[in-house]
């Protein structure tokens, strides 16, 4: 069945690419590509995991992706006929002194994070403290072991600055002096280091995805089909990023003796067998509405006293296949199904598809800098869909609302050219 799934995914990818404007970054095409990579990774581990996918699992994945491809074709057709007024605003580089000041502020954030790692992770070597910090902060239910709210807001600010400076580097790079380029690179490096010190690589990977999206959508002439030469270099860059993901595992408190290929394919491919094993043996219902699907929103409502639930974290059960661990990585479909059943799963997946496909096609016509920045902030939800539910569990939240507000504020303050008339619809 794994070969049948791979063949179906490749076919869907070709259909989506051909009917959605020959655009690799169209959500339908990218989602299919992400699942092709995930399926190929699972196939690499097929004998080790002794995979035996059920026809139901293949049907669920293929039917869900068919919905996305259909929605993307629909959205592409709509915006071929509908005229969207292109954005006509202008932008100016961030002043050097502002970049220097933000770099100093990020230095303070780094010091604060190191202090928090020691507070929660204890003494000893940094590596051992990082392992303990990650375990307590990511999986513990004791609020004393969690990062304080004010520290989390500093992390939000750091993430927003990273997205802003990715845009700044890509849009203004050739017009910046050496000092400004060095400061831009230093700011981005500091932001990535801050994200790694939280004990995970997910935030750093979202920045990489955002950089790729900004590069693609801000090129002269806008989004268009990628030439084979460009595609080759994009693939080389992707391989470098995957190796970086493997290389920093010790820094974020991970330990593994696997080779780089085994490590990457285990992560990337675990979602498909994980979903299969889940559908064969789902855990009991939680009793909390949207416990996994709307995790961040539930947590925010709990803090506001609007939802009477205990503090909890999402820690999917680990699965085994063939006597070895597959891990606890699942596709986004798993969370939808666990909370709302099969009908709810398809409904939420359709909502996801409509939001992303129509917004993308709109931005291809509109090409608003701020709108593209927002798109870059959330595009990782498409790329990592075979691994986790990021949109409803993270983006649909008060925390993302804070990030979005801060991004808009900093963009209008630092980048929009003075004297521009405020746009009624900057996105």
């Amino acid at each position: 069945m794994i070969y049948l799934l791979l063949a179906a995914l490749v076919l869907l990818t070709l259909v989506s690419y051909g009917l959605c404007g020959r655009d690799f970054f169209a959500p339908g095409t990218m989602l299919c590509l992400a699942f092709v990579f995930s399926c190929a990774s699972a196939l690499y581990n097929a004998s080790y995991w002794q995979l035996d996918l059920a026809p139901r699992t293949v049907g669920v994945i293929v039917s869900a992706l068919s919905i996305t491809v259909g929605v993307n074709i629909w959205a592409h057709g709509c915006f071929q006929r509908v005229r969207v007024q292109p954005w006509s605003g202008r932008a100016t580089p961030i002043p050097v002194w502002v970049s220097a000041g933000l770099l100093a502020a990020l230095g303070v954030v780094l010091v604060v994070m190191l202090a928090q790692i020691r507070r929660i992770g204890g003494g000893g070597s940094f590596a051992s403290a990082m392992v303990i910090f990650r375990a307590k902060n990511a999986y513990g239910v004791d609020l004393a072991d969690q990062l304080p709210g004010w520290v989390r807001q500093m992390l939000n600010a750091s993430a927003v600055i990273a997205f802003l400076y990715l845009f700044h580097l890509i849009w203004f790079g050739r017009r910046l002096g050496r000092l400004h380029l060095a400061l831009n690179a230093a700011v981005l490096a500091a932001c990535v280091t801050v994200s790694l010190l939280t004990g995970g690589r997910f935030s750093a990977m979202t920045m990489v995805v955002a950089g790729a999206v900004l590069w693609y959508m801000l090129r002269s002439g806008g989004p268009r089909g990628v030439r084979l030469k460009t595609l080759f270099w994009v693939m080389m860059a992707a391989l470098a990023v995957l190796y970086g993901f493997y290389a920093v595992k010790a820094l974020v408190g991970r330990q593994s003796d696997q080779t780089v290929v085994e490590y990457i394919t285990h992560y990337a491919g675990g979602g498909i067998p994980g979903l299969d094993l889940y559908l064969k043996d789902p855990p009991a219902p939680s009793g909390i509405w949207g416990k996994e699907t709307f995790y961040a929103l539930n947590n925010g409502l709990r803090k506001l006293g609007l939802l009477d639930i205990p503090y909890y974290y999402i820690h999917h059960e680990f699965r085994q296949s063939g006597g070895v661990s597959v891990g606890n990585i699942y596709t986004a479909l798993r969370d939808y199904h666990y909370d709302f059943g099969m009908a709810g799963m398809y409904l939420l997946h359709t909502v996801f598809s409509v939001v992303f496909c129509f917004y993308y096609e709109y931005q291809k016509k509109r090409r608003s800098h701020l709108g593209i920045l927002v798109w870059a902030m959330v595009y990782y939800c498409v790329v990592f869909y075979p691994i986790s539910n990021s949109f409803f569990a993270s983006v649909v939240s008060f925390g993302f609302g804070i990030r979005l507000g801060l991004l808009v504020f900093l963009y209008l303050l630092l980048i929009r050219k003075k004297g521009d008339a405020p746009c009624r619809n900057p996105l």
Side-chain angles (χ1 to χ4, degrees):
M1 294 305 293
I2 186 73
Y3 290 99
L4 177 62
L5 175 60
L6 183 59
L9 292 174
V10 170
L11 179 60
L12 276 173
T13 303
L14 294 175
V15 170
S16 181
Y17 179 74
L19 297 180
C20 295
R22 294 188 175 185
D23 185 352
F24 284 110
F25 279 75
T29 308
M30 182 57 70
L31 191 59
C32 289
L33 283 171
F35 268 93
V36 166
F37 181 66
S38 181
C39 189
S41 297
L43 184 58
Y44 178 86
N45 293 286
S47 59
Y48 178 67
W49 286 335
Q50 297 181 26
L51 286 186
D52 182 24
L53 293 184
R56 181 189 184 189
T57 304
V58 175
V60 164
I61 294 174
V62 173
S63 59
L65 294 187
S66 297
I67 290 173
T68 306
V69 171
V71 169
N72 208 151
I73 294 171
W74 175 33
H76 182 69
C78 287
F79 282 97
Q80 289 291 97
R81 296 188 295 269
V82 176
R83 177 175 175 80
V84 177
Q85 183 66 34
W87 181 74
S88 58
R90 294 173 292 172
T92 187
I94 298 173
V96 173
W97 66 269
V98 172
S99 296
L102 289 175
L103 182 60
L106 288 168
V108 174
V109 178
L110 282 170
V111 172
V112 169
M113 279 304 304
L114 290 171
Q116 290 294 320
I117 290 170
R118 284 301 181 188
R119 179 184 71 82
I120 298 172
S125 68
F126 177 79
S128 62
M130 196 67 190
V131 171
I132 297 172
F133 166 77
R134 179 181 170 276
K136 288 184 175 181
N137 184 64
Y139 303 120
V141 293
D142 187 346
L143 292 177
D145 291 331
Q146 308 302 304
L147 289 174
W150 62 274
V151 176
R152 293 187 180 278
Q153 295 311 315
M154 293 176 77
L155 296 177
N156 275 334
S158 174
V160 168
I161 290 170
F163 293 123
L164 200 66
Y165 270 79
L166 281 169
F167 168 84
H168 188 253
L169 179 63
I170 292 168
W171 187 250
F172 295 108
R174 294 182 179 180
R175 285 174 275 174
L176 301 179
R178 291 183 179 179
L179 174 60
H180 211 166
L181 279 173
L183 283 172
N184 202 129
V187 166
L188 288 172
C191 290
V192 171
T193 304
V194 167
S195 72
L196 293 176
L197 288 179
T198 62
R201 292 157 291 184
F202 195 78
S203 293
M205 293 298 288
T206 65
M207 295 176 195
V208 172
V209 171
V213 171
L214 289 169
W215 165 81
Y216 180 71
M217 296 196 72
L218 293 173
R219 291 181 305 161
S220 176
R224 59 181 183 272
V226 179
R227 297 177 181 177
L228 288 178
K229 181 179 178 181
T230 304
L231 183 60
F232 170 78
W233 288 112
V234 169
M235 292 175 64
M236 292 298 101
L239 290 175
V241 169
L242 291 175
Y243 181 78
F245 179 83
Y246 170 79
V248 299
K249 63 183 186 299
L251 177 63
V252 298
R254 301 272 187 170
Q255 297 176 338
S256 175
D257 295 327
Q258 292 175 309
T259 65
V260 60
V261 176
E262 293 170 342
Y263 192 80
I264 296 299
T265 56
H266 189 105
Y267 263 95
I272 290 176
L275 178 65
D276 181 63
L277 293 167
Y278 160 80
L279 290 174
K280 291 174 180 176
D281 181 27
S286 67
I288 299 176
W289 183 89
K291 179 182 179 181
E292 295 179 355
T293 305
F294 297 103
Y295 169 70
L297 181 62
N298 280 355
N299 191 43
L301 292 172
R302 179 193 62 81
K303 290 180 179 178
L304 293 174
L306 300 176
L307 196 60
D308 185 18
I309 58 173
Y311 171 73
Y312 70 92
Y313 61 90
I314 297 178
H315 189 204
H316 293 140
E317 66 281 356
F318 282 83
R319 299 281 182 170
Q320 286 195 336
S321 179
V324 296
S325 174
V326 173
N328 65 339
I329 295 173
Y330 299 84
T331 68
L333 300 173
R334 186 258 193 223
D335 287 1
Y336 308 163
H337 186 278
Y338 176 72
D339 288 321
F340 303 106
M342 191 65 74
M345 180 195 76
Y346 281 115
L347 176 61
L348 287 166
H349 178 77
T350 302
V351 170
F352 171 89
S353 301
V354 169
V355 170
F356 276 79
C357 293
F358 274 84
Y359 187 73
Y360 179 68
E361 294 296 333
Y362 170 73
Q363 282 304 330
K364 284 173 68 175
K365 296 282 187 177
R366 180 70 170 168
R367 302 200 64 205
S368 156
H369 286 169
L370 185 54
I372 291 173
L373 255 173
V374 173
W375 176 247
M377 281 181 68
V378 301
Y379 193 79
Y380 73 93
C381 299
V382 176
V383 177
F384 298 139
Y385 202 86
I387 298 174
S388 67
N389 161 35
S390 299
F391 179 62
F392 292 109
S394 300
V395 173
V396 180
S397 67
F398 296 107
F400 181 78
I402 293 172
R403 285 193 181 193
L404 181 60
L406 185 57
L407 176 72
V408 172
F409 172 75
L410 290 178
Y411 172 83
L412 296 178
L413 178 68
L414 299 177
I415 291 182
R416 194 185 73 182
K417 189 170 183 179
K418 304 297 185 292
D420 278 0
C423 182
R424 275 189 280 176
N425 184 8
L427 298 180

